[in-house]
Amino acid sequence: MVAVADRAPVLELPDTHGTPVRLGGRRERPQLVVFLPFAFSRVCGGELRALVSEPLDGADLAVLSCDPLFALRAWAEQEGATFPLLSDFWPHGAAARAFGVLDEASGAPTRASFLLDGDGVVAWSVHSPAGVARSVADYRAAVAALTA
């Protein structure tokens, strides 16, 4: 798995409308990369709703799943997500694999998040066990620590 102080992979993935969105690399603001295993699932749905209802200040948010972009578009519309939901569908799991979080047995990413600084270096990360939601408060604290 990509670790704190590692340079994150630089990748492009399509959003829910097929527009490429860049992950990693140099950018003006930090970027929070959140891997969700399955669209429309109970825990992932709760995490997405929390990100929608508690917006993060100070970082760009990108949420990734191996689901096809059409499923992610329906999910984003259902939940009111205004941040990018990115499809890691094809080549299947390439981004999750590059970050070291693809569960080959299920074909889905594990529940991992990475906060990248302006140079694309991992400043903070969290990896939760299957079925355990991550905390938006933890994201907020990590972003605040990075941007202080």
Side-chain angles (χ1 to χ4, degrees), residues 66 88 92-94 96-97 99-105 107-110:
C66 289
D88 193 15
H92 191 81
R97 193 173 284 113
F99 274 83
V101 298
L102 183 66
D103 176 359
E104 298 285 349
T110 58

Side-chain angles (χ1 to χ4, degrees), residues 23-65:
L23 296 177
R26 197 164 205 31
R27 48 190 319 113
E28 290 183 30
R29 292 168 31 105
Q31 184 178 44
L32 180 63
V33 178
V34 177
F35 286 92
L36 293 175
F38 299 106
F40 297 102
S41 65
R42 183 183 55 79
V43 177
C44 294
E47 286 188 297
L48 185 63
R49 281 187 292 283
L51 289 166
V52 167
S53 66
E54 302 174 49
L56 293 174
D57 293 326
D60 297 326
L61 176 61
V63 174
L64 288 78
S65 168

Side-chain angles (χ1 to χ4, degrees), residues 55-136:
L56 293 174
D57 293 326
D60 297 326
L61 176 61
V63 174
L64 288 78
S65 168
C66 289
D67 295 289
L69 67 91
F70 300 108
L72 292 177
R73 183 184 308 166
W75 197 32
E77 289 172 1
Q78 174 183 299
E79 300 297 343
T82 57
F83 45 80
L85 267 67
L86 306 179
S87 177
D88 193 15
F89 182 72
W90 199 257
H92 191 81
R97 193 173 284 113
F99 274 83
V101 298
L102 183 66
D103 176 359
E104 298 285 349
S106 69
T110 58
R111 203 169 295 286
S113 302
F114 302 88
L115 180 60
L116 313 181
D117 68 14
D119 292 321
V121 173
V122 178
W124 176 88
S125 69
V126 64
H127 190 262
S128 294
V132 177
R134 290 155 288 184
S135 165
V136 174

